[in-house]
Amino acid sequence: MTGNIRAPLREVIARHGLSASKALGQNFLLDAQLLDRIARVPGDLRGASVFEVGPGPGGLTRALIDAGATVTALERDHRCLPALAELGDAHPGLLRVIEGDALAMPLADVLPEGGHIVANLPYNVGTALFTGWLSGEAWPPRWASLTLMFQAEVAERIVAAPDSGAYGRLSILSQWRSEAKIAMRVNRAAFTPPPKVMSAVVHIVPKLAPEGVRAGTLERLTAAAFGQRRKMLRASVRGVPGALAALEKLGIDATRRAETLSVEEFVQVARELG
Ligand code: SAM
């Protein structure tokens, strides 16, 4: 249907001179089937609002519109805007394009309450954006789900379980009040140009936040614990007021190292700290 009236992405890229910029983390996805699969990860998007960071030439944007979403797309590279304007013209009322920096954009300005965030993130700013979306005391967040492409190594850290090298601050931030899973792995060859590393799409859905735990406290605790991850907790969290007493009260052996504590145990300690 609508796909037929749209030019192939390679042609759009050539016509608008969108040579990939390394500084902007540009690795484009051009395979329509793969893009459709990514757009299906959040579930049924018919009638849903989606915020997309970095639409580039608009491949994922097309797939999201085809899945029935209304998309707000924020792109830093002004060269992409004419190509995105064409896409908007082909789908009146379904695409709003904003030029700007996602790191400086308040989420409330681009995402209606209950909308989804879907993005093939620029690698250089992906983790900073992600941790920003997961932080803050208010929960549930305004987003209903995150569907994000990361370097595979970062995706592994997000979903990691205790007692693994990948387990750390990012795992706890991602899991203490959300469900996080790897929805699909994406070969580097799928991108133009191919990045050096493999990628994966992570899917995150908020869950009920544990009661009586402040996000800031948990963040300070995990920063200390994993800041010196090879050390025993009794040394690494010594600088966090009340942490050693909380470990003792909870019966958590202070000679353990941070990576052996479950997410639930970190949550319990943070709750004790208030
Ligand atoms: N969505 C396209 C795709 O899947 O083919 C492009 C993905 S590419 C990995 C990342 C995109 O993010 C690029 O278009 C880049 O210009 C854009 N970008 C980079 N930094 C950005 C920022 N700080 N704010 C908004 N967009 C940014």
Side-chain angles (χ1 to χ4, degrees), residues 12-269:
V12 171
I13 288 170
R15 188 154 41 84
H16 294 280
L18 303 180
S19 53
S21 150
K22 206 170 176 180
L24 285 170
Q26 291 182 340
N27 301 96
F28 301 134
L29 289 171
L30 307 180
D31 177 343
Q33 279 185 7
L34 173 64
L35 289 161
D36 284 342
R37 277 176 59 212
I38 296 171
R40 281 200 293 273
V41 169
D44 187 354
L45 286 181
R46 281 175 298 179
S49 297
V50 168
F51 170 47
E52 184 192 2
V53 177
L60 183 54
T61 323
R62 290 179 178 202
L64 292 166
I65 292 171
D66 288 348
T70 301
V71 180
T72 297
L74 176 64
E75 175 55 62
R76 192 169 176 185
D77 184 355
H78 64 90
R79 297 177 309 157
C80 298
L81 301 184
L84 294 165
E86 280 175 15
L87 185 59
D89 289 345
H91 302 281
L94 295 182
L95 175 60
R96 175 165 73 118
V97 179
I98 303 172
E99 181 179 2
D101 179 352
L103 288 170
M105 180 65 69
L107 204 50
D109 291 4
V110 286
L111 181 77
E113 195 77 49
H116 302 263
I117 303 181
V118 183
N120 173 15
L121 288 174
Y123 288 144
N124 41 3
V125 297
T127 311
L129 284 171
F130 179 63
T131 53
W133 295 330
L134 286 174
S135 299
E137 302 301 331
W139 206 260
R142 64 187 295 117
W143 45 267
S145 76
L146 306 176
T147 298
L148 305 172
M149 181 85 74
F150 285 102
Q151 291 171 258
E153 177 263 330
V154 176
E156 298 295 353
R157 284 164 47 205
I158 290 169
V159 304
D163 280 322
S164 66
Y167 183 66
R169 287 171 73 179
L170 200 55
S171 328
I172 290 158
L173 180 65
S174 307
Q175 297 172 33
W176 79 280
R177 52 184 180 175
S178 304
E179 301 282 352
K181 67 172 199 302
I182 291 183
M184 56 196 276
R185 293 177 187 277
V186 182
N187 196 287
R188 49 187 289 279
F191 297 85
T192 303
K196 288 201 181 70
V197 294
M198 305 295 265
S199 294
V201 175
V202 173
H203 186 229
I204 313 263
V205 179
K207 63 182 183 189
L208 210 59
E211 269 182 39
V213 180
R214 282 191 296 142
T217 305
L218 184 64
E219 172 54 26
R220 276 190 294 284
L221 177 68
T222 53
F226 287 100
Q228 305 180 64
R229 62 185 294 143
R230 309 306 306 169
K231 292 204 171 159
M232 294 178 190
L233 289 168
R234 68 178 179 211
S236 60
V237 304
R238 189 192 304 269
V240 181
L244 293 179
L247 290 174
E248 190 171 351
K249 180 171 173 199
L250 292 165
I252 297 173
D253 183 350
T255 65
R256 286 168 63 187
R257 284 181 291 138
E259 66 190 37
T260 72
L261 262 66
S262 65
V263 176
E264 174 57 24
E265 285 176 309
F266 273 110
V267 162
Q268 286 171 1
V269 178

